[in-house]
Amino acid sequence: GDSVTQMEGPVTLSEEAFLTINCTYTATGYPSLFWYVQYPGEGLQLLLKATKADDKGSNKGFEATYRKETTSFHLEKGSVQVSDSAVYFCALANYGGSQGNLIFGKGTKLSVKP
Amino acid sequence: NAGVTQTPKFRILKIGQSMTLQCAQDMNHNYMYWYRQDPGMGLKLIYYSVGAGITDKGEVPNGYNVSRSTTEDFPLRLELAAPSQTSVYFCASSRTANTGELFFGEGSRLTVL
């Protein structure tokens, strides 16, 4: 079945460092890909998405490019801030076989130190 | 904007007790979902609904029941609570099935002792 694999955390960075969180997927057909973020004590919220190959999603300085040839959707940010400390979830939706249900990775916890 | 509201935020149950987690959304979304989040395991879908009166099982439905009598409300019922149901539960909603944009509540932390 469809699945998402994320790099293991936690990830600890200093403020202004470059961030990469790796995400790869397995799916039939042409899924849509998402990054969700969960700040401490809150529910998840959509950070960015891409719906077809070579699309780049971006929001709040974060970017991710849908790479079909490598089945990847890595999250990047050029300069992280303390306020970016959160858990980041990669997810996919394969609308051909589901009611829009998302399949989530296990999450990667990011801690940014001042 | 209230969005998705879950109650209670915290609850401790004894083994064998029952309870209902409440979820309400004010965005007139047709689609609603219940997920559980276990440490280091991501989110697993328990049940979902595509509209009032229509529900279906997700990946991990055993030990749970749902109902959807109105568009706004999607309660999750736990019968005969077990320690394996200790988790954080998230309710979510979406306008359609094809955007992948889910709106989540703040979660309900349940401990079964």
Side-chain angles (χ1 to χ4, degrees):
Chain A
D2 297 347
S3 65
V4 174
T5 302
Q6 287 181 239
M7 64 185 286
E8 296 277 336
V11 174
T12 302
L13 296 174
S14 297
E15 210 165 19
E16 299 183 2
F18 184 87
L19 168 71
T20 299
I21 300 178
N22 290 337
C23 171
T24 58
Y25 68 90
T26 301
T28 57
Y30 302 94
S32 293
L33 301 173
F34 308 85
W35 277 101
Y36 274 78
V37 58
Q38 183 181 28
Y39 298 105
E42 299 183 9
L44 282 73
Q45 55 187 274
L46 180 65
L47 180 61
L48 54 83
K49 70 177 185 181
T51 58
K52 61 183 186 296
D54 299 325
D55 266 3
K56 177 185 285 188
S58 61
N59 186 24
K60 299 182 180 180
F62 291 89
E63 293 183 339
T65 301
Y66 187 167
R67 302 284 189 201
K68 189 164 179 63
E69 64 275 13
T70 55
T71 62
S72 64
F73 193 54
H74 305 321
L75 182 68
E76 296 181 337
K77 187 175 185 182
S79 176
V80 294
Q81 305 301 313
V82 172
S83 57
D84 293 326
S85 298
V87 181
Y88 293 83
F89 292 90
C90 186
L92 72 82
N94 207 344
Y95 301 116
S98 69
Q99 296 291 336
N101 302 332
L102 292 178
I103 296 171
F104 288 89
K106 294 183 177 181
T108 303
K109 184 176 182 178
L110 170 66
S111 295
V112 181
K113 307 299 184 185
Chain B
N1 291 335
V4 178
T5 303
Q6 290 182 235
T7 57
K9 285 185 167 45
F10 302 95
R11 182 73 187 269
I12 297 174
L13 281 181
K14 294 182 179 178
I15 294 172
Q17 287 185 321
S18 300
M19 75 160 297
T20 299
L21 298 176
Q22 302 290 345
C23 175
Q25 53 93 7
D26 63 357
M27 297 172 282
N28 201 32
H29 285 170
N30 285 325
Y31 295 81
M32 296 189 74
Y33 312 84
W34 273 106
Y35 287 89
R36 58 178 287 172
Q37 182 183 33
D38 299 318
M41 295 301 294
L43 281 76
K44 301 291 186 183
L45 183 66
I46 305 171
Y47 271 95
Y48 65 96
S49 169
V50 302
I54 306 170
T55 63
D56 208 347
K57 296 177 180 178
E59 184 180 357
V60 289
N62 291 344
Y64 307 94
N65 279 299
V66 293
S67 59
R68 185 93 181 272
S69 57
T70 67
T71 299
E72 294 78 18
D73 299 300
F74 190 41
L76 178 71
R77 177 84 177 161
L78 281 73
E79 305 281 1
L80 299 175
S84 61
Q85 294 178 303
T86 294
S87 189
V88 180
Y89 292 84
F90 286 99
C91 180
S93 71
S94 64
R95 184 174 58 83
T96 72
N98 296 323
T99 65
E101 183 170 8
L102 272 60
F103 294 82
F104 283 81
E106 294 184 353
S108 298
R109 183 175 294 275
L110 174 67
T111 302
V112 182
L113 300 174

